[in-house]
Amino acid sequence: MDELKILINKDINQVKNYFREFKENKKKMLPILFYILWFIFMLNSQSETNSYSINYFKNLSFAILSFLLIISITNVYFERTSYFNMADVNFLFTAPISPKTILLYSIFKTSWKQLLAALFMFIFLSPSLISSGILFPEILLGVVGYALFIFSLEPICFIASKLGKKYNLKTIIIILLLLFILPITIPMIIKKSIIKGIESNLMNFIPLIGWSRGIFMSMFKINSNLFIFIFLQLSFILIINLYILKTTSNYFEDMLSSTENKSKYIENKKRGKNKFQLKMNFNKNKSISIKHNYYGSKAFHFKNKLISYRNDFHYLFGIETLIFLILSIGAIIIKNIKFYDYSLITFFTYLTIIILYIYTLFSINTNGQEELDMPFFYLIPDNNIKKIIAVNQLSIERMILNSLVLFIIPSIVDIRNILAYFLMFIMFNSIYIVIKFSNILIRSIFRKETDFTLMLPLIKIFQLFLIAIPSLVGAIIGSLLNNIINFDLQIVIFISIFLTNISILLIQLVLTDLIISRIEI
Amino acid sequence: MLKVTNLTKKYKDITAVDNISFQVNKGEIIGLLGPNGAGKSTTIKSIVGLLKVTSGTILINGKINDSIEAKKDFAYIPEFPKLYDNLSVWEHIEFIAKAYKIENYKDQALKYLEKYDMLNKKNKLASELSKGMQQKVSIICNLIIDPEIYFFDEPMIGLDPKAIKETKNIFIELKNKGKSVFISTHLLDSIEKICDKILIMKDGKIITKGSIEELKGSKEITLEDLFLEATDNG
């Protein structure tokens, strides 16, 4: 009991200090304030909406539970499943405290943290739940379903990552997928539809995701099997924790590398350095030679080329090219089977917006910006603007080719709109370049932020302003010009966006140059 | 005090530590030397129970190394100490004192904080400290435990010259109090004058062991020469 008290006190002190820090560093309050405002806004906007259908919640809860399960399995795969941090390794693992107490407390703590996040989500959802006729005590039933899921998930991941050290990790991942992911396809097969399968009550009988959803959905209508689901879920938690207690006497070594990986991952995440990259290490051990000579700032381009050669089939083409090709051909095929009613050009306009949106969301963590943390970026004797261009040159070249792959097939199939596709191609790339350079600009402005994760929503809004405002200005100018020159509206808008982006790009480069020359590292 | 017998540690096909045996007696300062990748950190981590040994036995004060009883008898200062970001220096000390059930630690802790010029940082959070300062906190936390044997993994890295000098003095102080100190390092001159014995590791094996005088014999050589000769780099 004393041991537990020591661990609890340590964490209480940490939480107290976390909040005390706000007094010292008011800037840390900014993201919190932003979240509160966002939360109030969401509450208000949701309270204005009418009730949602039961199927909406069925699908939503299924999506959330599946997402959590997949994220957990991914963490096991990347060996990041750990309940500890490096300070625990240094202080707790060598302290005379029972390893089982440390483990159970840490599992509980991790689950509790996730549960807190879940509670936050329930508060967030409560207006729409209440407007759907759910009473507050019934909402608690949903929380129970969610909580039991979380309390099952953490021990599963612990056992899987422990077994992964002993046996082949890939085999363990396959077993996890077979046990918990594959069964969710059974109702879909029986109902011959993904959506009907998800909405079906059969799904509630699938281990973990199903049981938890069964409990969760009892908020709306008490399921006759509710107590069976609760019993199954509780028994599962009990058995799995007993198994851990019985079999886990020495887990320190197993947890050591996962804890190191997790710590690195979290550290990088906080600093916004986790990369979102589709790479395959095609030429991992091959010796690569680059023919041209690159001097000064061009050395960055040389380095990126080397990395690209190592990771992809070719330095200009990669997995992304294949995805773009599949998207392009796929869009035409499903248009031909009349899957959607839009014209091909409209469909490609939407597709372009979605791709750019995804790039904007994830590109903050791609390579390029990390150079700003390297002293040699500042020390290489060359012009800053040239360096920034060299750092991004390869990604831009690759995107030009990828987007060519995306637009060339529809422009042949739909030849009467060839000019529109060409302009869309130009607009797409100009926005992509603005995104790339805005990343550098943002990283140079926010480079001293200790917790990049917390700042990310603010940064994203700032970036969206950088990208959306010029496009909006371009679109307005385009519409105004259209009245004068009487040309195809879509084409005039594309040209205006492109031209506005070019001017924004030049301003960005000058601004970044100014900021970079003042950076102290 | 510490008895390591036929210790082997394998990572899949790689043998990081290959059947090593040695003993550390009460009041001895032992230096574990070796080039990068020799197996020094793996040896220390195995001794303190962070790694499971593949074979062999490790006894600390006659107790199996990963037992709770043995843990009361040793302290481990890792190569890259990580602290709890949201705990202050003093709170780390308090936490360790509680974990090891130490009651009269405050005077000792203050003394060490002063030695390491950390007294004015007592209430600072770990996240506000430099790496060297974090290393100092890690050392102080372990010094207040007052166990029978101390394991230091590369303790001088990141420390300023004054702190290095203080740490060396502390090693001597501990030895004079009858405590054993086991230091893994590749900074040879930092331990040459204070070690009673050295163990030189290469490719997971102990290739040389004994007192520096014994190993030098009649030759007028430095520990660096001795090390290079033993590891075939000279």
Side-chain angles (χ1 to χ4, degrees), chain A residues 87-95, chain B residues 82-84 92 95-96 141:
Chain A
D88 290 330
V89 173
N90 292 343
F91 291 112
L92 290 185
F93 284 12
T94 52
Chain B
K82 288 271 179 196
L83 308 180
Y84 294 103
H92 272 89
F95 165 62
I96 286 298
C141 281

Side-chain angles (χ1 to χ4, degrees), chain B:
Chain B
M1 182 59 54
L2 168 71
K3 195 175 179 192
V4 176
T5 317
N6 303 325
L7 168 66
T8 297
K9 173 65 194 171
K10 287 184 182 175
Y11 294 105
K12 290 181 180 155
D13 299 333
I14 301 158
T15 306
V17 177
D18 192 2
N19 196 30
I20 63 167
S21 300
F22 60 89
Q23 201 168 318
V24 178
N25 298 319
K26 198 171 158 62
E28 270 183 347
I29 300 180
I30 306 288
L32 179 65
L33 313 177
N36 293 333
K40 304 187 296 290
S41 288
T42 307
T43 304
I44 286 206
K45 281 182 180 168
S46 302
I47 294 172
V48 299
L50 288 179
L51 298 178
K52 279 179 270 187
V53 299
T54 310
S55 63
T57 52
I58 301 163
L59 296 176
I60 295 172
N61 251 353
K63 300 156 202 161
I64 292 178
N65 67 323
D66 58 1
S67 66
I68 289 182
E69 283 311 304
K71 285 179 177 179
K72 289 176 185 164
D73 288 341
F74 71 78
Y76 164 64
I77 296 92
E79 187 178 358
F80 304 109
K82 288 271 179 196
L83 308 180
Y84 294 103
D85 279 351
N86 286 319
L87 285 189
S88 69
V89 171
W90 192 252
E91 282 165 346
H92 272 89
I93 293 169
E94 277 180 332
F95 165 62
I96 286 298
K98 281 180 181 150
Y100 283 79
K101 295 174 184 153
I102 307 157
E103 281 180 3
N104 303 316
Y105 63 92
K106 287 183 183 164
D107 290 344
Q108 274 295 88
L110 289 170
K111 186 186 101 184
Y112 287 126
L113 282 171
E114 198 171 358
K115 273 192 177 192
Y116 280 114
D117 288 334
M118 291 287 291
L119 212 48
N120 56 348
K121 304 274 184 301
K122 206 175 115 199
N123 298 319
K124 286 262 173 210
L125 292 186
S127 55
E128 297 171 82
L129 302 177
S130 70
K131 277 193 181 146
M133 287 177 188
Q134 294 195 7
Q135 173 80 320
K136 289 175 184 177
V137 176
S138 170
I139 294 175
I140 296 166
C141 281
N142 282 284
L143 286 171
I144 61 152
I145 299 169
D146 198 30
E148 294 304 312
I149 182 164
Y150 292 83
F151 295 96
F152 288 88
D153 194 356
E154 299 290 0
M156 312 299 188
I157 289 177
L159 293 184
D160 53 53
K162 187 182 176 246
I164 291 178
K165 195 174 173 236
E166 285 298 346
T167 310
K168 284 187 199 168
N169 289 341
I170 287 168
F171 290 156
I172 310 275
E173 256 177 50
L174 293 172
K175 176 188 159 71
N176 293 339
K177 276 164 72 182
K179 311 283 181 183
S180 310
V181 183
F182 189 85
I183 312 158
S184 156
T185 185
H186 52 242
L187 299 176
L188 306 176
D189 46 351
S190 67
I191 56 156
E192 183 166 8
K193 289 188 182 125
I194 54 170
C195 277
D196 296 306
K197 278 188 211 159
I198 55 161
L199 306 169
I200 301 181
M201 283 187 83
K202 194 188 173 189
D203 300 330
K205 293 189 173 81
I206 291 179
I207 49 168
T208 306
K209 63 177 164 184
S211 72
I212 298 175
E213 284 69 33
E214 254 170 49
L215 296 171
K216 281 183 183 172
S218 56
K219 292 183 219 166
E220 283 210 4
I221 52 171
T222 61
L223 179 59
E224 186 180 51
D225 298 326
L226 191 71
F227 174 80
L228 292 174
E229 202 177 285
T231 53
D232 292 327
N233 290 327

